[in-house]
Amino acid sequence: MRYDVVVIGGGLAGLTSAALLAKGGRRVIVLERRDTLGGLHSTEEIAPGIRGEAVQHDIGWIPASVMEALALDEAQLSLVRPAASATSLLRGGRTLTLWSDPARTARELASHSEKDARAWGAFGERVTRLAGFLQAIYEAPAPEPLASGAREVLAMLGLGRRVRSLGRDGIVDLLRTLPMSVADLLDETFETPALKGLVATSGVSRLSQGPQSGATAFVLLHHHVGAPAGAIRSRAIARGGLGVLASALAERARSAGAEIRTNAAVSRIAVTEDGVRSVVLANGDELETTLVLSTLDPRHTLYDLIDPIYIDPELSEAVRTVRYRGACAKVHLVLDGLPPLGTELLEGALVVAPDMAYLERAYDAAKYGDISERPYLEARIPTVHDASLATAGRHVMSVLVQWVPHRLRAGAWDASRREAVGDLVVATLGELFPGFASRIVAGAVLSPADIEERYGATEGSLTHGELTLDQVLFMRPVPGLSRHATPIPGLYLAGPGTHPGTSIASASLAVKAIGAVRRARSGDRAATGV
Amino acid sequence: MLKTTPFHARTAAIMEGQQWRRWAGFLVASAYEMSHEREYHAIRNSAALFDVSPLYKYQVRGRDATRLLDRIVTRNVAKCQPCQVMYTPWCDPRGKQIDDGTLHRFGENDYRLTSADPNLRWLHQNARGMQVQIGDDSERIASLSIQGPLSRTILEHAIGRDLAGLKYFRLTNATIAGIPVVVSRTGYTGDLGYEVWMEAGDALPVWDEIVAQGRPYGITPAGMLALDIARIEAGLILLDVDYVSARKALIPGQLSSPFELALGWTVSIDKQPFNGKEALAREAANGPSWSLVGLEVDWLTLERLYESMGLAPRLPTMASRVSVPVYDGSKQVGYATSSAWSPLLKRYIALAHVESGSAKPGKELEFEITVEHRRKRATARVRKLPFYDPPRKRA
Amino acid sequence: MKNGKVDAIVIGAGHNGLVCAAYLARAGKKVLVLERRHLVGGAAVTEEIVPGFKFSEFSYVVSLLRPEIIRELDLPAHGLQILPLESTVTPMPNGNYLAAWADHDETRRELYRHSPLDADAYDEFGLLMHHMAHAVKPIIGMMPPDPASLSPRELMSLGKLGGHMRSLGARKFYALHKLMTMSSADYLDEWFETDVLKATKAASGIIGTFMGPRSPGSAYVLLHHYMGEIDGAFRAWGFQKGGTGGVSEAIAGAARRFGAEIRLEAPVGRVLVNNGRSVGVALENGDEYRADIVVSGLDPKRTFLKLVEERELPSDFVASIRRFKTRGSSGKVNLALSELPRLTCMEPENIARWGGVPIPPQRYLRGAISVSPTMDYVERAYDDAKHGSFSRRPYMDVVIPSMIDPGMAPPGQHVMSIFCQYAPFAIDGGWDDAKREAFGDAVVDALAAFAPNIRRAIIGRQVLTPADIERITGLTEGNIFQGELALDQLFFLRPAPGYAKYRTPVDGFYQCGSGTHPGGGIMGASGRLAALTILGERP
């Protein structure tokens, strides 16, 4: 069977790419190893009759251009932005909520600190402004500071102009903020420990760094790309689970003519010096193609699917040194009732990060390969939005636990350690919600090792490689590959492991890169008259 | 403190003038006698015995051993038969030479690579994803080089069998004084010669036996000074002297490709992907911009230059490793990196990098020499390498 | 007017103030340097704390002093003499050790003992660092351009910087980007597998910072070690003969020779400002000195928050200076010793046990002893600090200057300088005498774990916490760099955006301390660039 493009991986990046490529008239097939689509963003059965978010909790950023190109709209995707973005669960039943309406947040803050209440609006605007700048970079191919040629120079000038549009203070603020620790950033701005703890989570989420680590302010900005103006930690979720989005993308891909094959593990990409020749499946099937777009993480693609003699030792070394370091475990809890918080708060994220020192200590453990004794938790209850995810009277709580290192100081991940993580979560929530344990009727735990094994994410990294200043833009996934093409003709990379570090945006850029190359090639032919 | 080689007990005992030098962190002899001249002549006249243990030696074994080596070196390893030795350079991914050495194939998946610089990390970096075992034998294996017209006779006595069947760049197993050794017909002198490889712990009895068997034939332990002259006569380049490893180059101008080092013949463009293949293919098509050539300094002009100062020509007896400018008319077109007075050829010879436009054999260039503190230029002609190539080397 | 008018007044006779004064005087200006203490040098002083024992009390090694300053001020003629520091030995918890020597073959042999792969990597790493230092050098010597400005001059300067970056080529550019953004632990993990090697190298990346080796931003400081080496003729790391104060004395000597006057025990209380222009200074005792140019070598917080009336400064500038991070993180323990320490790991039988090469104590004690046995050890030392206490087991850089310069101590006796980290200025509850001594005990204990005879050898001890450093030298929060060397406080952000070129919001008032670009170490670059700015010369 011959395809124009074989897309490896049926997660959001793979499905988006397939839909865009098929719409462009290419004969496309998507190969997914598992039996469900969506990868880390799928919604799966976690107990009989009960479905929950497989790993990720929210959708992240969908560039408007993709929404438009695929004729998607938020309503159709059942996207909702809860009024309560995130609520910090504090001792003694207290809470602090960040609302998607900054004014409401400021009102809530006023009871903690007048100063913080006054500073809130400006902080939101500042984050919006700086994240907006990142967004502009993220919508274009990665800047290549060393590239030459008129087009590159123009692109860099364009970037320079965009930087200047921030204004003098904006530029200085951007350059000063990017390398800062989120702790320093927040200490400069606020005084309420609970507020700083809650906001700091954006700087360390899914990352093996603590709030005092350098450049975590960049991570906070990254997580606010595409977020509504002035809102902190406001993320869209899908009613009915994130799987809704994967289904919608799959439907777009299929209706444009793409084929999607599940239970189709790829064993290798056959290449010659001329480039990609075919994709060989684990079952022995061979799909002929000269174009492969892999959305697996870059190490997985380049190390496991390609004959090593086609990866030169310097590239191989660069791939080896990409840091993944999964930092989270996933805990699913089936409850027979809701925590006593009120529906409005339960619609948003529930966070255990009472202050920055708590986060810092939680991170300390991971540095030495230990699991945090008092972990940072991010919980969501999708059944609040769509009761049909569970059987009557049941709720699903989805918890991301941090820090749970992929590489333990001693020994490997096993059942007892996995259980211990579950117990830790129950105990942590139990301290905040008395009687919580008795509400649990079922549960499941995915360690970082489980996430790696089940979802193919190297070292259990939910971002396919840490999102840190040294691993973004022209450094992502490795220098020289940031424009999605690889040294192997016809092999392209997409997924969060590539620029700009989010699934859907990376897919859109990778598809453009494929298109750009084809145009350039046919241009060559026209020019030489061949 | 420097390391000493496994032969140190013997080499120290015959050292007359404490003329030691460093080689790869080891103490080795520059010359055992007060002058290296007799040691040099042994190479061309009887047999010289060199302690070459400081060479870096790596063992490469396993299913993907051939594939690994083939992706590293420029020559086609698949064509190297078991019991064959291949001389080969290797390059970085941009086609610039890192090092050169010999590759010994002992069996289907069993090799030894020798090199001038450490290459353990490079082997490992290239082996990612392959089934190979890489071992560092540098200190585990000792080696002696016996070079010269009588080397075969001496070695035949030492191993107790005929070596006529051992062809140039082939190896064989043997025993010396009951000790298993590997004998390869290789060397760094451009003469008939062999290298003997053994476990470090067996070094002394092997030395003793070879020296005992060689005594009637005039075997002479020799140091690096003698070797340096012989290798220049043989047109053999030396890392850090005649070229800079791509790993150590500080500026692009210090890089060299195999084509620029007269090693184009080692580049097998048609084999599987290997480091630098793309760049080397381009260079093969376009031709290198630099060439390594032999230079022979014209004796008459040399004599005239000394005469003008009222002196007779005075040349150093040692090879020089000082870079010397080479001119074509008024323009500097290159530089000589090694030069020596060849006592055998009675010529002043040099290895030089020149721009390819000035590299044709017979081309007349000028070679800078310093006569009585003043810089002069002597006429020099481009010569085909090697300068010295006796039939016995391959016979 | 009580005193005669001079052209320029320099506040503080630290090494940067002295460099600035010397350059101004060299250009023919009449210069007056006012120093609070009884001696010049600031944090680069030699003091006889214990009779007969001379200590480089704070700063103890010279590494980055700019060659052009040495040349242009002819410092050797005024007593500059740097004696080489040759080696580093790191004792390991299991009794083994790691040594690095001046000789390449010797170091390779030692590394090979730990890891053959690391022995190869070490050379490549060294070469890359050489390249990086070469790439960074012009940046250190340049006035930081203002990236937000649209003036042609700034754009040209920016363009030059961009051109320089591009000229590095891809490999070096990416490597530099990594160095600027990564943690030293992660960066070293890319290269090496030997933990003690990484720990020792990483430790040099956290000196004076409030970061742990695993915090992004710490890799850049690794470069400093290589920076001195690219200037060929100058030794990378060394001791000034007679102690670090000798460097200050040499610069002071040069300044005086050019005609500058240095007045000691003359603490400046405030800068006199008239209509937005500085017109002179007033000492704490009320004496006033007039000059058109006033330069402060003090740190930015002291300069702008203590010496200048707040109303003379724009409020956003004051806010920038307030948030300029100056968290002191290091302490110093100076010991007078009756005998040399003996490292258990370097005893001949122990060396033999681990397959090392025997080395006599006279040799390894001429170098540094690094107490950085594992990466986790250094990281845990930081954990203590960030949670508000001093490191119970600190990282320490131990040197014995009297081994190289016997004149530092009575014959047969020795001085030992122990740089220790972390000792946070903002320790929970604040520093007091009991905590200082407890910290000193922790340092001695940590050293005694590897050199048991040290306790017996101590005949005098001085413990300096950041609070002491602040009290004695005036450095805010005891920060040895006058402000953290973090990416958000470097280059055009040092000390505040818009004021990174030695000017201040007050006309005629300049800054020249290491709180300005490039800052840090006994480099002198800030003082020189400030002087050139004042003189209207391009560097």
Side-chain angles (χ1 to χ4, degrees):
Chain A
M1 205 58 205
R2 247 204 105 70
Y3 292 90
D4 291 341
V5 190
V6 174
V7 175
I8 303 177
L12 296 188
L15 295 170
T16 305
S17 314
L20 292 169
L21 286 164
K23 270 198 67 204
R26 310 253 191 170
R27 190 173 155 71
V28 183
I29 182 166
V30 178
L31 301 173
E32 168 55 47
R33 185 172 58 97
R34 305 179 64 234
D35 58 2
T36 36
L37 295 171
L40 295 167
H41 289 87
S42 49
T43 302
E44 297 176 357
E45 183 159 276
I46 52 164
I50 294 175
R51 292 165 7 102
E53 306 293 26
V55 181
Q56 297 280 28
H57 282 176
D58 56 46
I59 287 172
W61 170 48
I62 311 179
S65 61
V66 174
M67 295 287 281
E68 198 177 312
L70 297 181
L72 296 166
D73 68 63
E74 296 213 353
Q76 179 193 7
L77 294 175
S78 319
L79 296 193
V80 284
R81 279 182 200 280
S85 303
T87 296
S88 181
L89 307 176
L90 303 165
R91 299 227 150 224
R94 292 175 305 124
T95 59
L96 175 72
T97 300
L98 302 180
W99 302 94
S100 60
D101 172 12
R104 188 167 174 194
T105 308
R107 281 199 299 279
E108 173 151 354
L109 284 175
S111 65
H112 297 266
S113 154
E114 273 300 331
K115 176 177 171 267
D116 289 358
R118 277 197 307 276
W120 184 252
F123 180 74
E125 283 162 25
R126 178 177 172 202
V127 169
T128 299
R129 190 167 59 242
L130 298 179
F133 175 72
L134 281 187
Q135 179 175 337
I137 298 180
Y138 284 3
E139 282 168 346
E144 279 295 347
L146 294 177
S148 50
R151 185 184 297 182
E152 291 294 340
V153 171
L154 282 177
M156 286 307 284
L157 281 178
L159 191 63
R161 258 199 304 281
R162 216 172 287 140
V163 177
R164 283 178 203 293
S165 74
L166 280 171
R168 190 189 181 289
D169 293 345
I171 298 168
V172 169
D173 194 21
L174 180 74
L175 293 173
R176 195 177 81 85
T177 306
L178 292 178
M180 280 177 85
S181 75
V182 74
D184 284 343
L185 177 73
L186 296 174
D187 277 336
E188 267 179 28
T189 320
F190 301 116
E191 59 187 18
T192 307
L195 174 64
K196 291 193 275 189
L198 182 53
V199 177
T201 55
S202 275
V204 297
S205 153
R206 296 154 174 78
L207 186 63
S208 280
Q209 294 291 351
Q212 289 191 34
S213 297
T216 42
F218 157 75
V219 180
L220 177 137
L221 296 181
H222 174 89
H223 287 304
H224 284 85
V225 166
I232 299 297
R233 287 215 42 161
S234 164
R235 275 292 167 205
I237 54 165
R239 184 174 292 119
L242 295 179
V244 170
L245 178 61
S247 304
L249 289 169
E251 182 277 319
R252 287 297 190 277
R254 283 202 189 91
S255 66
E259 204 178 312
I260 296 173
R261 207 182 285 182
T262 50
N263 298 310
V266 172
S267 72
R268 67 192 174 92
I269 303 169
V271 301
T272 69
E273 283 177 84
D274 297 329
V276 168
R277 203 167 44 87
S278 66
V279 173
V280 182
L281 302 187
N283 68 4
D285 284 3
E286 184 162 359
L287 311 179
E288 275 182 55
T289 185
T290 55
L291 268 178
V292 169
L293 178 61
S294 174
T295 62
L296 312 187
D297 70 58
R299 187 182 293 171
H300 202 25
T301 304
L302 296 173
Y303 270 15
D304 301 337
L305 301 184
I306 305 285
D307 182 340
I309 65 169
Y310 291 94
I311 311 286
D312 84 49
E314 285 175 11
L315 173 58
S316 172
E317 186 69 4
V319 172
R320 180 185 72 80
T321 55
V322 172
R323 275 171 290 106
Y324 285 83
R325 291 197 293 213
C328 305
K330 182 68 196 269
V331 175
H332 298 288
L333 298 174
V334 180
L335 308 175
D336 66 4
L338 289 168
L341 281 175
T343 312
E344 202 174 24
L345 296 189
L346 292 171
E347 283 176 350
L350 306 179
V351 182
V352 179
D355 55 54
M356 294 202 294
Y358 178 98
L359 283 172
E360 193 67 34
R361 285 189 194 278
Y363 159 61
D364 283 349
K367 294 191 294 194
Y368 310 106
D370 296 327
I371 298 163
S372 310
E373 281 174 28
R374 298 187 153 274
Y376 150 45
L377 305 184
E378 284 274 340
R380 281 195 184 265
I381 309 174
T383 40
V384 171
H385 298 280
D386 183 352
S388 74
L389 285 165
T391 48
R394 296 283 190 260
H395 279 282
V396 181
M397 183 184 257
S398 228
V399 189
L400 278 169
V401 197
Q402 209 170 318
W403 282 254
V404 181
H406 175 266
R407 194 176 309 150
L408 295 169
R409 176 156 54 144
W413 278 101
D414 57 23
S416 71
R417 287 193 161 96
R418 193 188 292 129
E419 279 315 302
V421 171
D423 294 346
L424 179 66
V425 169
V426 173
T428 307
L429 290 171
E431 284 182 27
L432 297 158
F433 301 125
F436 182 75
S438 64
R439 316 232 73 163
I440 300 168
V441 294
V445 180
L446 292 176
S447 72
D450 297 329
I451 292 172
E452 172 168 48
E453 202 223 310
R454 193 179 292 190
Y455 301 97
T458 296
E459 293 182 23
S461 167
L462 305 192
T463 46
H464 284 191
E466 286 189 348
L467 273 162
T468 46
L469 266 193
D470 60 306
Q471 298 197 148
V472 292
L473 304 178
F474 49 86
M475 305 297 283
R476 195 168 187 87
V478 296
L481 270 59
S482 67
R483 299 275 178 93
H484 305 280
T486 68
I488 295 162
L491 176 64
Y492 290 79
L493 303 177
T498 66
H499 176 72
T502 62
S503 299
I504 295 178
S506 78
S508 151
L509 289 172
V511 166
K512 278 195 193 115
I514 291 173
V517 170
R518 172 170 263 205
R519 269 197 303 283
R521 284 211 181 129
S522 51
D524 289 347
R525 258 181 239 121
T528 52
V530 177
Chain B
M1 215 186 284
L2 283 174
K3 292 182 279 191
T4 53
T5 77
F7 299 106
H8 190 69
R10 296 293 178 272
T11 56
I14 57 171
M15 174 59 80
E16 294 177 2
Q18 297 305 329
Q19 298 185 72
W20 300 99
R21 70 163 68 179
R22 289 188 192 203
W23 175 11
F26 285 90
L27 193 65
V28 294
S30 290
Y32 294 103
E33 300 184 4
M34 300 301 283
S35 154
H36 63 280
E37 270 180 277
R38 206 179 69 85
E39 295 175 10
Y40 163 77
H41 283 290
I43 302 172
R44 300 302 184 207
N45 184 44
S46 53
L49 183 66
F50 298 96
D51 173 5
V52 292
S53 303
L55 271 175
Y56 291 95
K57 296 165 281 271
Y58 301 101
Q59 182 188 77
V60 181
R61 286 182 182 159
R63 192 195 74 183
D64 292 328
T66 306
R67 259 164 83 73
L68 167 62
L69 290 163
D70 240 340
R71 72 96 47 114
I72 293 178
V73 304
T74 58
R75 288 185 76 186
N76 190 339
V77 178
K79 287 189 181 161
C80 184
Q81 304 298 320
C83 293
Q84 190 182 338
V85 182
M86 254 183 182
Y87 165 77
T88 182
W90 51 98
C91 293
D92 71 4
R94 283 162 293 280
K96 300 303 179 187
Q97 190 158 325
I98 289 175
D99 202 342
D100 61 313
T102 52
L103 188 59
H104 303 235
R105 187 169 195 172
F106 300 120
E108 182 56 28
N109 289 318
D110 186 3
Y111 295 87
R112 173 181 296 148
L113 181 69
T114 71
S115 63
D117 262 354
N119 277 282
L120 185 65
R121 185 163 187 256
W122 187 239
L123 284 163
H124 277 276
Q125 285 179 332
N126 278 277
R128 203 269 317 153
M130 296 189 189
Q131 281 187 28
V132 283
Q133 298 89 48
I134 297 163
D136 186 349
D137 280 349
S138 303
E139 294 190 29
R140 194 176 69 81
I141 300 292
S143 45
L144 283 175
S145 181
I146 172 165
Q147 303 282 312
L150 299 183
S151 56
R152 178 181 300 163
T153 312
I154 295 168
L155 211 51
E156 283 175 342
H157 283 293
I159 66 173
R161 70 175 163 90
D162 183 23
L163 278 173
L166 185 63
K167 290 191 288 187
Y168 192 44
F169 273 86
R170 291 292 189 283
L171 62 81
T172 184
N173 290 308
T175 54
I176 294 179
I179 291 161
V181 299
V182 170
V183 174
S184 61
R185 190 169 159 190
T186 49
Y188 197 50
T189 60
D191 215 306
L192 173 66
Y194 300 84
E195 285 167 312
V196 181
W197 313 82
M198 72 222 80
E199 296 281 337
D202 295 333
L204 296 181
V206 172
W207 170 284
D208 291 342
E209 179 65 9
I210 291 175
V211 167
Q213 295 296 337
R215 198 161 288 129
Y217 300 94
I219 195 169
T220 306
M224 297 297 116
L225 292 173
L227 186 63
D228 218 9
I229 300 174
R231 67 106 190 160
I232 295 171
E233 291 171 340
L236 299 172
I237 55 171
L238 180 56
L239 181 65
D240 289 337
V241 174
D242 297 303
Y243 72 104
V244 178
S245 169
R247 257 198 309 254
K248 294 189 216 158
L250 296 174
I251 51 170
Q254 292 177 342
L255 297 165
S256 299
S257 76
F259 290 105
E260 292 170 338
L261 294 172
L263 296 175
W265 63 275
T266 66
V267 181
S268 179
I269 285 301
D270 298 327
K271 67 164 181 170
Q272 68 161 52
F274 62 96
N275 294 333
K277 181 175 183 181
E278 232 174 285
L280 291 170
R282 265 197 311 277
E283 201 177 343
N286 303 332
S289 39
W290 286 84
S291 300
L292 182 101
V293 297
L295 282 186
E296 182 190 331
V297 181
D298 180 68
W299 184 252
L300 290 178
T301 57
L302 201 67
E303 213 167 38
R304 245 191 333 267
L305 291 174
Y306 277 92
E307 191 54 47
S308 71
M309 304 297 291
L311 293 169
R314 241 182 352 196
L315 292 175
T317 57
M318 285 185 238
S320 162
R321 295 175 170 190
V322 176
S323 174
V324 174
V326 172
Y327 300 88
D328 185 354
S330 59
K331 184 176 167 241
Q332 184 178 351
V333 293
Y335 50 95
T337 45
S338 294
S339 56
W341 168 254
S342 164
L344 183 74
L345 305 170
K346 302 297 180 203
R347 291 171 202 277
Y348 189 19
I349 56 175
L351 301 179
H353 298 260
V354 295
E355 290 171 18
S356 294
S358 303
K360 234 174 108 184
K363 169 82 180 169
E364 197 173 291
L365 300 171
E366 286 184 328
F367 179 91
E368 187 176 285
I369 63 162
T370 304
V371 182
E372 196 63 14
H373 319 296
R374 284 174 174 75
R375 289 185 185 177
K376 309 278 183 188
R377 292 183 191 177
T379 305
R381 277 185 193 79
V382 175
R383 291 284 181 240
K384 236 175 101 53
L385 291 173
F387 296 103
Y388 180 66
D389 195 14
R392 63 176 178 256
K393 180 173 86 178
R394 295 161 188 278
Chain C
M1 211 181 302
K2 195 172 170 215
N3 289 285
K5 188 172 167 177
V6 293
D7 296 327
I9 290 169
V10 176
I11 306 170
H15 75 281
N16 272 310
L18 292 169
V19 166
C20 184
Y23 273 90
L24 293 176
R26 181 168 168 262
K29 302 275 182 206
K30 194 165 156 40
V31 181
L32 174 64
V33 182
L34 297 170
E35 166 58 39
R36 183 174 57 91
R37 297 193 69 206
H38 62 283
L39 78 178
V40 299
V45 293
T46 306
E47 295 193 72
E48 203 171 305
I49 304 295
V50 178
F53 294 83
K54 291 186 207 152
F55 291 95
S56 293
E57 205 177 352
F58 308 99
S59 178
Y60 59 104
V61 284
V62 185
S63 61
L64 301 168
L65 186 59
R66 301 304 304 151
E68 60 268 23
I69 295 174
I70 296 175
R71 204 169 51 235
E72 288 162 359
L73 301 183
D74 196 11
L75 296 184
H78 296 280
L80 183 80
Q81 187 180 351
I82 310 286
L83 305 167
L85 178 59
E86 289 175 358
S87 59
T88 304
V89 170
T90 310
M92 293 164 63
N94 62 2
N96 199 349
Y97 66 94
L98 175 77
W101 307 104
D103 183 78
H104 172 260
D105 284 330
E106 218 173 356
T107 303
R108 181 177 162 82
R109 185 177 185 182
E110 166 65 1
L111 280 172
Y112 194 92
R113 191 169 71 81
H114 291 270
S115 157
L117 283 173
D118 284 3
D120 279 15
Y122 195 78
D123 287 348
E124 291 175 46
F125 179 81
L127 189 71
L128 183 69
M129 289 301 114
H130 170 94
H131 282 306
M132 294 297 98
H134 194 73
V136 169
K137 197 182 148 194
I139 301 173
I140 284 187
M142 83 191 288
M143 300 271 185
D146 186 342
S149 166
L150 285 170
S151 87
R153 185 167 164 172
E154 290 296 334
L155 284 179
M156 240 167 66
S157 179
L158 263 184
K160 237 174 86 183
L161 183 63
H164 172 67
M165 290 299 180
R166 292 168 68 96
S167 74
L168 297 179
R171 277 176 85 195
K172 292 183 215 164
F173 175 82
Y174 294 129
L176 186 58
H177 179 88
K178 284 185 156 202
L179 266 178
M180 300 298 284
T181 52
M182 286 178 75
S183 76
S184 53
D186 289 337
Y187 194 78
L188 292 163
D189 274 343
E190 292 192 357
W191 284 90
F192 304 110
E193 59 185 15
T194 306
D195 187 57
V196 63
L197 170 64
K198 290 186 280 193
T200 303
K201 282 213 167 284
S204 78
I206 47 122
I207 286 178
T209 73
F210 204 82
M211 282 186 282
R214 289 192 169 92
S215 174
S218 54
Y220 162 73
V221 193
L222 289 173
L223 259 191
H224 274 191
H225 193 83
Y226 292 84
M227 213 89 87
E229 291 179 6
I230 56 175
D231 292 308
F234 299 92
R235 286 297 302 217
W237 292 85
F239 297 112
Q240 162 67 26
K241 183 170 170 50
T244 306
V247 177
S248 311
E249 294 289 353
I251 306 170
R256 286 197 191 99
R257 156 102 216 291
F258 291 123
E261 185 193 343
I262 300 168
R263 198 162 295 180
L264 302 174
E265 298 180 304
V268 172
R270 66 195 167 89
V271 174
L272 304 173
V273 181
N274 191 1
N275 289 328
R277 243 206 100 75
S278 65
V279 294
V281 302
L283 298 191
E284 283 175 3
N285 66 9
D287 287 2
E288 291 190 2
Y289 294 87
R290 298 278 158 171
D292 290 339
I293 296 163
V294 176
V295 194
S296 171
L298 313 187
D299 69 71
K301 281 192 170 153
R302 190 159 287 267
T303 298
F304 297 110
L305 305 180
K306 300 239 166 84
L307 294 185
V308 182
E309 302 281 346
E310 188 169 342
R311 63 187 147 80
E312 303 292 349
L313 300 169
S315 60
D316 60 339
F317 175 77
V318 172
S320 289
I321 296 295
R322 282 223 170 91
R323 69 178 181 218
F324 187 67
K325 286 170 286 177
T326 53
R327 294 170 289 197
S329 59
S330 341
K332 188 82 192 292
V333 174
N334 294 313
L335 300 178
L337 301 179
S338 60
E339 61 181 275
L340 282 171
R342 287 194 75 90
L343 285 182
T344 311
C345 65
M346 297 305 277
E347 296 294 340
E349 61 276 19
N350 189 63
I351 290 178
R353 181 173 153 231
W354 292 99
V357 182
I359 290 283
Q362 308 86 278
R363 185 122 109 78
Y364 72 78
L365 291 177
R366 286 202 301 259
I369 301 163
S370 181
V371 179
S372 50
T374 67
M375 189 66 88
D376 284 355
Y377 177 100
V378 182
E379 186 69 33
R380 286 188 198 278
Y382 172 59
D383 287 350
D384 286 342
K386 75 180 178 187
H387 297 303
S389 60
F390 61 76
S391 307
R392 283 158 293 175
R393 293 185 185 80
Y395 155 64
M396 304 189 289
D397 185 34
V398 183
V399 291
I400 308 168
S402 49
M403 283 297 291
I404 296 174
D405 181 2
M408 301 292 286
Q413 301 189 310
H414 289 278
V415 285
M416 177 183 269
S417 156
I418 308 174
F419 174 89
C420 5
Q421 208 156 331
Y422 299 77
F425 177 83
I427 194 171
D428 284 346
W431 284 98
D432 55 30
D433 289 350
K435 280 186 194 137
R436 182 198 299 116
E437 293 316 310
F439 174 57
D441 293 345
V443 167
V444 171
D445 289 347
L447 187 57
F450 300 109
N453 73 326
I454 192 73
R455 283 205 185 85
R456 181 181 73 202
I458 298 172
I459 52 181
R461 168 172 120 168
Q462 180 193 30
V463 182
L464 295 165
T465 69
D468 300 317
I469 296 173
E470 180 183 70
R471 179 174 47 80
I472 300 169
T473 67
L475 288 165
T476 300
E477 295 187 55
N479 188 293
I480 61 171
F481 296 141
Q482 288 201 353
E484 291 169 45
L485 288 177
L487 214 44
D488 55 314
Q489 300 201 147
L490 287 180
F491 213 40
F492 63 92
L493 295 167
R494 190 168 187 87
Y499 296 96
K501 292 186 192 187
Y502 314 101
R503 291 196 164 77
T504 72
V506 177
D507 280 348
F509 184 43
Y510 296 84
Q511 40 181 343
C512 73
S514 51
T516 60
H517 170 79
I522 306 179
M523 200 185 307
S526 298
R528 178 173 174 272
L529 288 170
L532 297 184
T533 302
I534 294 164
L535 296 168
E537 291 171 20
R538 303 297 289 170

